[in-house]
Amino acid sequence: MAQVDQAGKPGPTTTHITISDGALIPDKGEGSFFSAWRISFFGALGLVVLLPVLSPDPYLNILRFLPDGILRTFQVTLISIFFSLIIGLITGLGRISRNVFINRLATVYVEVIRGIPLLVQLFYIYFALGRFLSLDRMVAAILAMSVCYGAYMGEIFRAGIQSIPKGQMEAALALGMSRRQALQLVILPQTMKIILPPIGNEFIALLKDSSLVSIVAVSDLLRRGREYAATTFQYFEAYTMVALIYLVFTLFFSKLVALMEERLDHSGR
Amino acid sequence: MADRIRITNVSKSFRTVEAVRNASLTVQTGQVVLIIGPSGSGKSTLLRCVNRLETATSGEIWIDDQLVTDPKGNIRQIREEVGMVFQNFNLFPHLTALQNIALSPRKVKGIPRAQAEERARVLLTRVGLAEKEDSYPDQLSGGQQQRVAIARALAMDPKVMLFDEPTSALDPEMIKEVLDVMLSLAAEGMTMLVVSHEMGFARAAADLVVFMDQGEIIETGTPEQLFDSPKEERTRRFLKHIL
């Protein structure tokens, strides 16, 4: 009879949810000066600076050629993350909905999207659906990324909402609030704090996955590198710089997420 | 005195388990009724049926002239008038004590913020926590949290207060401060239905004590009757355990 006389402990509990598909999050415990994160980050950053200095041709030329692509990469990433958050919130709420139809719809969306590789989704939206509606390649790229990551975000929202103790909803309802008010005023504000780190992880994963859009000829970082290589045949040099720049960014943001996680741990709220 | 809460033949099943079986109980306006019983006896479940946090499987619960168990009834309106205090306080951790109290009056009753906060301050003073209005729940002791939770429930001007083991999660030295608030509420004539084993509170404030076991109401009486000369064997056995 679990519902009756629930024994529980008073006081605050910090809830952690871990949803990770392998983004690089530095381990807090790894405090040594030569932590893996430091070696990788400063190594990559050092190379990005040193290579152009020591060997301006071709590295400086490559570095000059890439900024457009970096901007495009961030544009795709930021717009996609924005829409995936909106889709994720709706999906997450759908996944906990007591309305069977809405619940099933949200769950099917998550299952289907998570079962199809992002690259295939991208092909599908741009090439397959291109037969019926000719989407701009940027639009198609952002649409594919948003729809795909929306499903993952939905799971983060769902897990976040469900990690809030049941008593919070009960207290809100007992005070006369509607379920919607309880979600809006009590549950979601608490959820936001918990899901910030996993959302940060998704942001990093999306930043990396955004390189896929280069195959529908969006001139992102990877595509620019390829364009440079195609004219100069300096594949090794071009892709080395591309890889290093991705690495610098993802490591930088993963550190940011780790710091954010730590701060949230320390402030009780 | 009029009947404020009328519970008639209420049963509640969770899948295969019958948590409450055919319980009937009447609480008159201004009465304080204590429900005691071993863990798993269904006392909390019965209490939670009164504001429909659990939906009774059968039977009727009335609060004044409103039928709580009516599936088409406006449960939100009933809940506005039925305050509830939980074992684990369930304060909203992202809000200060003051905000915890003022939130529902503002959002449910549409009372302007300044007015709701004014009232919240009065209530905080009443539970002895005037200086804690800007504290977050995790900065408060268990006893203080529970007092804020009582103030939060009172902010809706309920005509009935439900207490679900309000002192069970507290360290012994904090129990008194919560019971004192409950005693003053009782003295002011609040109708209270309390699940608790606090004998001192029962003797000081309760009009009736109800003993439940295995989902059934076994015995009902004044504190003196029930504690000093229980009629039923099961009641006697239980009291021996807790006294």
Side-chain angles (χ1 to χ4, degrees):
Chain A
M1 220 187 304
Q3 308 265 14
V4 188
D5 296 337
Q6 308 153 328
K9 286 213 170 76
T13 45
T14 326
T15 318
H16 298 280
I17 53 171
T18 40
I19 295 178
S20 172
D21 53 353
L24 284 153
I25 299 301
D27 184 359
K28 255 189 300 175
E30 205 179 351
S32 117
F33 187 76
F34 291 105
S35 69
W37 183 86
R38 286 202 172 138
I39 294 171
S40 323
F41 180 73
F42 290 107
L45 193 61
L47 282 174
V48 169
V49 175
L50 273 182
L51 285 175
V53 171
L54 299 178
S55 160
D57 183 26
Y59 287 108
L60 190 59
N61 298 338
I62 299 171
L63 200 58
R64 285 210 180 109
F65 194 78
L66 294 179
D68 284 0
I70 297 175
L71 274 177
R72 188 43 60 96
T73 288
F74 274 98
Q75 198 183 9
V76 171
T77 305
L78 288 174
I79 298 176
S80 302
I81 216 79
F82 174 76
F83 284 113
S84 71
L85 279 173
I86 294 174
I87 298 173
L89 174 60
I90 296 168
T91 309
L93 290 173
R95 291 270 281 141
I96 57 159
S97 169
R98 295 187 302 178
N99 178 316
V100 179
F101 176 73
I102 293 174
N103 191 310
R104 239 4 88 72
L105 191 70
T107 309
V108 167
Y109 162 66
V110 170
E111 291 294 347
V112 168
I113 294 299
R114 291 205 304 183
I116 303 173
L118 176 53
L119 185 57
V120 176
Q121 291 179 41
L122 197 57
F123 270 41
Y124 198 84
I125 287 178
Y126 187 61
F127 296 112
L129 294 186
R131 242 182 76 189
F132 311 105
L133 48 145
S134 56
L135 291 169
D136 174 71
R137 55 180 59 123
M138 254 307 258
V139 174
I142 288 168
L143 187 63
M145 306 285 296
S146 307
V147 168
C148 177
Y149 271 79
Y152 291 91
M153 291 291 189
E155 285 303 273
I156 291 176
F157 274 99
R158 180 194 57 75
I161 292 168
Q162 287 181 339
S163 75
I164 305 298
K166 220 177 96 210
Q168 291 288 309
M169 173 60 85
E170 288 182 351
L173 292 180
L175 285 163
M177 289 186 214
S178 64
R179 284 185 70 86
R180 172 193 281 260
Q181 281 177 320
L183 272 171
Q184 228 173 52
L185 302 167
V186 175
I187 308 295
L188 284 178
Q190 297 181 56
T191 307
M192 289 308 160
K193 187 192 117 182
I194 294 171
I195 65 176
L196 223 48
I199 284 178
N201 290 354
E202 290 303 299
F203 171 80
I204 295 164
L206 204 155
L207 179 66
K208 291 188 291 180
D209 278 349
S210 75
S211 61
L212 290 172
V213 303
S214 62
I215 57 124
V216 296
V218 171
S219 47
D220 72 330
L221 178 54
L222 176 60
R223 181 84 184 183
R224 288 292 281 174
R226 192 172 140 194
E227 284 167 11
Y228 184 90
T231 51
T232 60
F233 299 105
Q234 287 164 325
Y235 287 98
F236 177 81
E237 292 83 351
Y239 286 135
T240 298
M241 283 306 273
V242 167
L244 286 172
I245 291 172
Y246 272 116
L247 192 55
V248 167
F249 281 126
T250 52
L251 287 173
F252 173 75
F253 285 117
S254 65
K255 188 70 177 179
L256 224 58
V257 171
L259 288 175
M260 186 167 73
E261 215 165 13
E262 207 173 332
R263 263 196 65 187
L264 289 174
D265 268 0
H266 287 202
S267 77
R269 302 169 281 285
Chain B
M1 270 199 293
D3 295 350
R4 177 127 276 178
I5 309 173
R6 212 162 62 244
I7 301 171
T8 42
N9 305 325
V10 163
S11 298
K12 169 67 185 175
S13 307
F14 296 106
R15 295 204 173 87
T16 55
V17 188
E18 202 169 29
V20 176
R21 203 176 313 151
N22 205 23
S24 296
L25 175 66
T26 302
V27 182
Q28 293 177 337
T29 305
Q31 266 190 334
V32 175
V33 174
L34 207 78
I35 307 177
I36 62 172
S39 143
S41 59
K43 52 197 194 300
S44 285
T45 305
L46 179 62
L47 188 80
R48 290 160 58 85
C49 285
V50 175
N51 67 349
R52 222 164 85 191
L53 284 183
E54 306 288 356
T55 309
T57 316
S58 64
E60 284 186 356
I61 298 175
W62 291 82
I63 293 179
D64 288 343
D65 55 354
Q66 286 172 302
L67 181 58
V68 177
T69 43
D70 178 5
K72 290 191 285 292
N74 185 354
I75 189 62
R76 285 184 59 197
Q77 197 200 326
I78 296 172
R79 282 174 180 156
E80 279 183 44
E81 301 182 323
V82 181
M84 182 152 189
V85 173
F86 298 86
Q87 181 179 357
N88 295 319
F89 331 131
N90 294 339
L91 289 180
F92 306 136
H94 60 300
L95 300 177
T96 63
L98 190 80
Q99 292 166 339
N100 260 282
I101 299 169
L103 182 69
S104 209
R106 283 175 54 209
K107 301 295 180 179
V108 175
K109 290 190 164 174
I111 293 170
R113 185 190 202 112
Q115 202 180 323
E117 291 188 346
E118 193 54 41
R119 179 82 207 291
R121 282 193 189 92
V122 172
L123 287 166
L124 270 177
T125 310
R126 177 167 169 191
V127 298
L129 292 170
E131 76 287 8
K132 296 289 186 190
E133 64 172 71
D134 291 325
S135 300
Y136 286 88
D138 63 0
Q139 298 167 323
L140 299 172
S141 72
Q144 291 171 332
Q145 288 191 55
Q146 193 61 299
R147 284 187 280 157
V148 173
I150 293 172
R152 179 175 69 175
L154 291 176
M156 295 299 284
D157 291 317
K159 51 188 184 186
V160 171
M161 284 283 282
L162 308 176
F163 292 84
D164 190 2
E165 308 211 25
T167 55
S168 302
L170 296 176
D171 292 331
E173 74 272 18
M174 293 170 181
I175 291 178
K176 186 174 178 298
E177 63 191 56
V178 171
L179 290 181
D180 283 347
V181 171
M182 291 171 62
L183 281 172
S184 78
L185 263 182
E188 286 164 31
M190 175 64 77
T191 308
M192 294 161 68
L193 189 54
V194 183
V195 170
S196 172
H197 292 156
E198 298 293 341
M199 296 295 161
F201 175 78
R203 287 192 191 270
D207 298 286
L208 276 182
V209 178
V210 176
F211 173 66
M212 281 184 80
D213 191 21
Q214 296 179 349
E216 284 178 290
I217 292 180
I218 306 295
E219 189 171 350
T220 303
T222 65
E224 291 72 28
Q225 286 170 350
L226 203 107
F227 294 147
D228 302 335
S229 48
K231 288 196 222 65
E232 300 290 328
E233 174 56 29
R234 273 198 272 184
T235 317
R236 241 171 283 153
R237 233 181 305 142
F238 173 72
L239 288 171
K240 232 181 358 205
H241 278 294
I242 63 164
L243 285 178

